[in-house]
Amino acid sequence: MTARVRAAEIVGDVDARVFGGFVEHLGRHIYDGIHEPGHPAADAEGFRTDVIALVQELGVTTIRYPGGNFVSGYRWEDGIGPREDRPRRLDLAWRSTETNQVGLHEFSSWLEKVGSDLMLAVNLGTRDVAEALDLLEYANVAADTAWTRVRAANGRETPFDVRMWCLGNEMDGPWQLGHRNAEDYGTLASRAAKAMRMLDPTIELVACGSSARDMPTFGAWERDVLRHTFDDVDFISCHAYYQERNGQAQEFLVSAVDTDLFVREVVAAADEIAHERGSDKRIMLSFDEWNVWYQFADDGTKAGDLVPDGWPVAPRLLEDQYNVMDAVVVGDLLITLLQHADRVRSASLAQLVNVIAPIMTEPGGPAWRQTTFYPFSLTSRLGRGTARRVEIDGAPRVQSARFGDVSAVNAVATTDDAGTSVFLVNRSVSDAAELVIDLRELDAASLAVVESWMITDADYRVANTLADPDRVRPQSLEVIRQGDELRVSLPAVSWAVVRLG
């Protein structure tokens, strides 16, 4: 059977911040990841230039920092001033020692090198409004104050001018330092937001939503938090991680159905509060943690519980190796985020280097791209402009124990001044999908195919490794043109993009 792909309604403009990333002080992400002073490729500040080049290629626009669970115990003042004077602290989140050799100044310098903007999280776990105000003053204020004099003495006369701020992290999670119920967190977040806006009314603020759609408080948490913070914030966060469980590849391949439901349900909750208040304000979504993450072994052991003893510095933690199937799921998750471009205005792939990451490094050795690198880099480069929903008539179906009868094919289109991109995924574990793309429906009949790429392999469990870093790469997708139509064949477990210009 051949399915027809045709454009439906325009969703909205794609916010570049949807192609964001996430860097946390966790494992080898900072130290031995982006920062390794003794490495042959290190620059004068100790940052690995090979990693910088890969982050630039990946195309991340905004990077959330410094956590994550880490931020709920972080004292931002530890990361400023002369490095030799900075304290070593115990990080309770990941049972590691934090040396504080990279802090706000160093990380901002790294961001300038990679060309990304900073999205800064404040600690509302073990700290309060006063500390959040101090950090905001240090980062954004130009006036002559005690904190701005400290900033200048530390080498930065001008403000960092951070635009987007997260009010804590995963405060609904019992694992979080300073965990609170929705009432207590909403009250604190509202106080912090009001105070921060008094200092800098131009910033955008993100309230903590649910840490996962399967949290027992999901839905009620969003409503209760927004009843406190609706007038004070611009975004509410969503976090979602997926993995194959017990060898159930087909179930894993339809993970994006959960993301779609997650977005719809959070939007419904936010709009319900707007209706209660008689407001036309629309709270946007910041999907500021999302990825494939193998959190659970088949015996139920949780990866986050396997933290080391002895408080080591930069231990190897959460260094998942990703295969072709993982990359296909990541590509499908990106399609789903673009399908909701009208409300998902920010998203952060979690994380960037070594820790559940598209980029891996070896101390003193090479850096390489994991399979998940490619759908992100291609979508970030080609998925700008305006997003359009895509209808797929006659699509093959797959069966999911959780979601029932599901389309095997998912798709979205984007249009910019230079052309149109069509993103496609075949999430069937066994069957190819034959597709006809109607260019007239996409207003692209006058355009030619300028590039077409696919991620797939006959063995969907193969991965890129230190020994074989280029085992999986994008391959050319054959596109047959017949008048105003394109014909493509997507193998089982594949993700693809067709660019017209």
Side-chain angles (χ1 to χ4, degrees):
M1 176 186 291
T2 299
R4 295 188 65 84
V5 178
R6 57 185 182 83
E9 76 273 13
I10 291 175
V11 180
D13 291 339
V14 178
D15 193 318
R17 292 176 296 183
V18 168
F19 303 111
F22 176 33
V23 170
E24 181 172 1
H25 286 253
L26 195 177
R28 295 194 310 119
H29 200 160
I30 302 286
Y31 310 111
D32 284 349
I34 70 173
H35 188 259
E36 188 181 345
H39 192 276
D43 65 13
E45 293 183 276
F47 292 115
R48 288 184 57 158
T49 56
D50 55 346
V51 173
I52 289 171
L54 287 176
V55 174
Q56 291 171 332
E57 181 187 340
L58 186 65
V60 288
T61 53
T62 300
I63 297 180
R64 181 171 174 252
Y65 173 85
N69 293 348
F70 173 81
V71 78
S72 288
Y74 183 50
R75 309 177 202 189
W76 68 269
E77 306 93 329
D78 289 347
I80 62 174
R83 283 179 169 177
E84 62 272 17
D85 295 337
R86 296 181 190 178
R88 294 166 65 94
R89 301 284 190 192
L90 300 182
D91 168 26
L92 303 184
W94 303 107
R95 290 194 63 82
S96 305
T97 297
E98 173 55 49
T99 66
N100 287 300
Q101 293 303 288
V102 171
L104 177 59
H105 287 259
E106 291 81 17
F107 191 71
S108 294
S109 177
W110 183 78
L111 287 174
E112 291 174 2
K113 298 171 194 285
V114 303
S116 297
D117 293 328
L118 176 59
M119 177 180 178
L120 201 56
V122 299
N123 177 358
L124 292 185
T126 57
R127 310 193 87 180
D128 211 311
V129 177
E131 291 86 358
L133 283 174
D134 287 345
L135 176 56
L136 178 60
E137 182 178 328
Y138 188 91
N140 279 18
V141 169
D144 181 14
T145 72
W147 275 122
T148 62
R149 288 184 179 184
V150 174
R151 185 186 70 213
N154 290 333
R156 179 86 181 205
E157 290 278 354
T158 59
F160 293 99
D161 194 30
V162 180
R163 295 293 89 216
M164 199 166 181
W165 295 75
C166 301
L167 300 171
N169 175 76
E170 293 186 354
M171 300 307 297
D172 62 329
W175 58 84
Q176 198 74 202
L177 279 171
H179 162 64
R180 293 168 169 82
N181 61 32
E183 176 77 17
D184 290 345
Y185 168 71
T187 301
L188 173 59
S190 177
R191 286 196 293 112
K194 284 181 170 66
M196 292 172 73
R197 287 202 190 280
M198 290 175 70
L199 187 60
D200 186 347
T202 68
I203 58 175
E204 294 181 277
L205 296 173
V206 185
C208 289
S210 292
S211 303
R213 183 169 172 258
D214 60 3
M215 291 292 290
T217 55
F218 172 62
W221 173 276
E222 278 74 11
R223 290 173 176 85
D224 290 344
V225 167
L226 286 175
R227 284 190 175 100
H228 288 281
T229 64
F230 184 87
D231 294 329
D232 308 315
V233 302
D234 306 283
F235 294 84
I236 191 160
S237 71
C238 305
H239 291 182
Y241 294 103
Y242 302 99
Q243 72 172 90
E244 183 187 11
R245 299 290 297 271
N246 302 310
Q248 297 177 334
Q250 186 60 80
E251 199 69 21
F252 174 49
L253 283 163
V254 299
S255 295
V257 176
D258 180 81
T259 303
D260 178 70
L261 293 170
F262 197 169
V263 171
R264 294 178 187 277
E265 289 162 357
V266 174
V267 166
D271 289 352
E272 178 183 324
I273 304 307
H275 179 72
E276 284 181 6
R277 303 174 74 90
S279 173
D280 60 2
K281 177 181 177 180
R282 290 295 175 260
I283 298 291
M284 298 300 168
L285 274 59
S286 176
F287 232 98
D288 51 37
E289 287 188 33
W290 70 272
N291 202 353
V292 171
W293 176 12
Y294 285 84
Q295 289 182 273
F296 300 95
D298 288 343
D299 64 3
T301 305
K302 193 171 187 293
D305 295 334
L306 303 177
V307 291
D309 294 325
W311 304 99
V313 174
R316 290 181 181 263
L317 292 175
L318 314 185
E319 297 193 10
D320 285 358
Q321 182 180 95
Y322 292 124
N323 60 34
V324 168
M325 181 166 56
D326 298 321
V328 170
V329 170
V330 165
D332 196 14
L333 295 173
L334 284 162
I335 287 172
T336 304
L337 294 177
L338 291 176
Q339 288 169 340
H340 294 283
D342 57 331
R343 297 299 289 269
V344 179
R345 309 296 292 171
S346 175
S348 303
L349 178 69
Q351 299 188 15
L352 279 187
V353 182
N354 288 329
V355 176
I356 54 172
I359 299 168
M360 297 298 293
T361 72
E362 190 64 18
W368 67 97
R369 305 166 188 83
Q370 292 230 64
T371 60
T372 54
F373 183 99
Y374 296 111
F376 190 99
S377 63
L378 287 166
T379 306
S380 178
R381 179 167 65 85
L382 300 175
R384 303 300 179 95
T386 301
R388 298 185 67 170
R389 295 192 189 278
V390 170
E391 298 292 344
I392 306 162
D393 300 328
R397 315 295 292 182
V398 296
Q399 296 302 311
S400 161
R402 185 176 180 189
F403 303 112
D405 185 58
V406 175
S407 175
V409 178
N410 197 19
V412 74
T414 60
T415 301
D416 56 51
D417 292 341
T420 293
S421 299
V422 184
F423 300 91
L424 304 157
V425 64
N426 180 3
R427 45 199 184 189
S428 170
V429 76
S430 57
D431 298 323
E434 305 300 324
L435 304 175
V436 171
I437 301 171
D438 190 328
L439 298 180
R440 292 165 299 181
E441 295 269 356
L442 288 166
D443 301 318
S446 63
L447 303 180
V449 176
V450 293
E451 53 183 308
S452 55
W453 302 103
M454 178 170 60
I455 305 293
T456 193
D457 197 279
D459 180 0
Y460 57 74
R461 297 192 187 278
V462 295
N464 292 342
T465 63
L466 174 61
D468 192 359
D470 295 317
R471 170 64 180 82
V472 178
R473 295 181 64 88
Q475 53 190 275
S476 178
L477 170 69
E478 182 182 14
V479 180
I480 299 172
R481 182 149 194 165
Q482 295 180 338
D484 293 333
E485 296 179 341
L486 303 178
R487 290 182 174 269
V488 299
S489 178
L490 295 185
V493 193
S494 64
W495 174 92
V497 56
V498 178
R499 176 67 176 178
L500 302 114

